[in-house]
Amino acid sequence: MGLEAVMIVLDNSESSRNGDYTPSRFEAQADATNIIFQNVVQGNPESSVGLMSMGGKGPEVLVTLTTDQGKILDGLHRTKKNIRGSAHLATGIQVAGLALKHRQNKSQRARIIVFVCSPIEEVESDLVKLAKKMKKTNISVDFVLFGDIDDDNHSKLETFNKEVKGSVEGSYLVVIHPSGKLLSDQLISTPILLGEGAGSGGGGAGGDSGGASTEDFPFGIDPSVDPELALALRMSMEEEKARLEREKKAQEAEAAKANLDTVDEDDANESTSLLNKDGQPSGSGSKKDGDK
């Protein structure tokens, strides 16, 4: 994983009470949120994750960008008591974008992950405008569509996804259907957690995920068959990359220091050669007693 600032947007509308995903749509999101947090922070310790909701009266920032999972857990607990109303998708994405805009570490790649399990009330044209705005500000937007997977919801998110995708990695749309597996288990094998090397998702996950086929997964396994192993392998690879990068920088720093020491030593030798044994510039003809 690269250096990221991720805002996770929960759908805490009335629809999230539904029990078609174990144990409920909201609890499924909460479980998946913890998996995402661990994936992001373990992938790069300088990455951070924030949390917000988009149901009820309007979007609410629950946790600003943090590396403390305890704060994320507290935000999930508070939101569980505030399930109501409908989702405000467009406003939620805008608020998440503002939160990312004010991140302290500007070198972090800005990313929004939105869970959608209720009807999308916004018209498609407004979502297209918002997608173009996110693309212009280099913020990638991932969608996890589950629950209300009708043609209208899928079409709107697919249109948004096509508009927001750019040259940078990210902006995936993953559709996860109800099944005997947990939402988080199915999410593990999608590009949202595995990146470009993942397939379109298995075990009920599908849709426009924006990734390569499972045959392109770099470890010679199908991530949909054993998603936990796939995630562990991906994170191990990223940790090894980070370690090699640190070693490379350390070697470059040592080489630069060695070159600087050599230059200083050469300068000192040159200065010494210009002085005679009395410490005077050579050739100055220092006078002895009695000389006129």
Side-chain angles (χ1 to χ4, degrees), residues 21 28-29 32 115 144 146 176 181-188:
Y21 291 77
Q29 292 178 78
F115 288 92
V144 180
F146 69 113
I176 300 181
K181 295 183 179 180
L182 294 174
L183 177 69
S184 56
D185 287 343
Q186 298 181 72
L187 188 62
I188 285 175

Side-chain angles (χ1 to χ4, degrees), residues 92-245:
I93 293 174
Q94 288 176 320
V95 173
L98 287 174
L100 290 170
K101 183 179 179 181
H102 293 94
R103 65 192 185 281
Q104 293 183 342
N105 188 349
K106 299 298 183 182
S107 61
Q108 292 174 317
R109 183 171 72 92
R111 183 183 179 198
I112 301 172
I113 300 177
V114 189
F115 288 92
V116 180
C117 67
S118 58
I120 298 174
E121 299 179 352
E122 289 83 354
V123 297
E124 192 169 286
S125 58
D126 289 341
L127 291 176
V128 168
K129 292 178 183 178
L130 178 58
K132 291 179 178 179
K133 181 179 179 181
M134 292 297 105
K135 182 177 180 179
K136 186 177 181 180
T137 53
N138 293 320
I139 298 178
S140 66
V141 183
D142 300 323
F143 289 108
V144 180
L145 176 60
F146 69 113
D148 281 76
I149 310 175
D150 55 27
D151 291 340
D152 187 53
N153 270 12
H154 190 274
S155 175
K156 288 178 178 179
L157 293 185
E158 193 171 38
T159 299
F160 186 105
N161 180 256
K162 289 179 180 178
E163 289 292 339
V164 78
K165 288 184 75 68
S167 58
V168 296
E169 179 185 352
S171 294
Y172 305 109
L173 167 59
V174 170
V175 181
I176 300 181
H177 298 273
S179 72
K181 295 183 179 180
L182 294 174
L183 177 69
S184 56
D185 287 343
Q186 298 181 72
L187 188 62
I188 285 175
S189 62
T190 68
I192 289 180
L193 290 188
L194 294 179
E196 295 286 355
S200 59
D208 225 355
S209 63
S213 68
T214 55
E215 297 176 356
D216 295 331
F217 193 65
F219 303 104
I221 66 170
D222 185 346
S224 65
V225 174
D226 195 339
E228 292 186 2
L229 174 60
L231 179 60
L233 289 171
R234 171 73 68 177
M235 293 179 65
S236 177
M237 182 185 72
E238 294 293 344
E239 289 174 359
E240 180 66 13
K241 278 185 179 179
R243 184 186 68 80
L244 292 174
E245 185 66 23

Side-chain angles (χ1 to χ4, degrees), residues 31-95:
D31 183 40
T33 294
N34 285 317
I35 295 296
I36 293 171
F37 176 90
Q38 293 169 11
N39 183 63
V40 171
V41 175
Q42 290 177 14
N44 192 315
E46 295 184 13
S47 292
S48 55
V49 179
L51 183 68
M52 59 177 291
S53 59
M54 63 176 180
K57 295 181 179 179
E60 177 185 0
V61 176
L62 304 165
V63 183
T64 55
L65 293 169
T66 182
T67 56
D68 185 350
Q69 190 170 11
K71 293 181 179 180
I72 300 295
L73 292 172
D74 180 65
L76 291 169
H77 180 71
R78 285 186 281 119
T79 309
K80 185 178 178 180
K81 300 178 180 179
N82 191 31
I83 296 176
R84 65 187 67 179
S86 58
H88 306 272
L89 179 63
T91 310
I93 293 174
Q94 288 176 320
V95 173

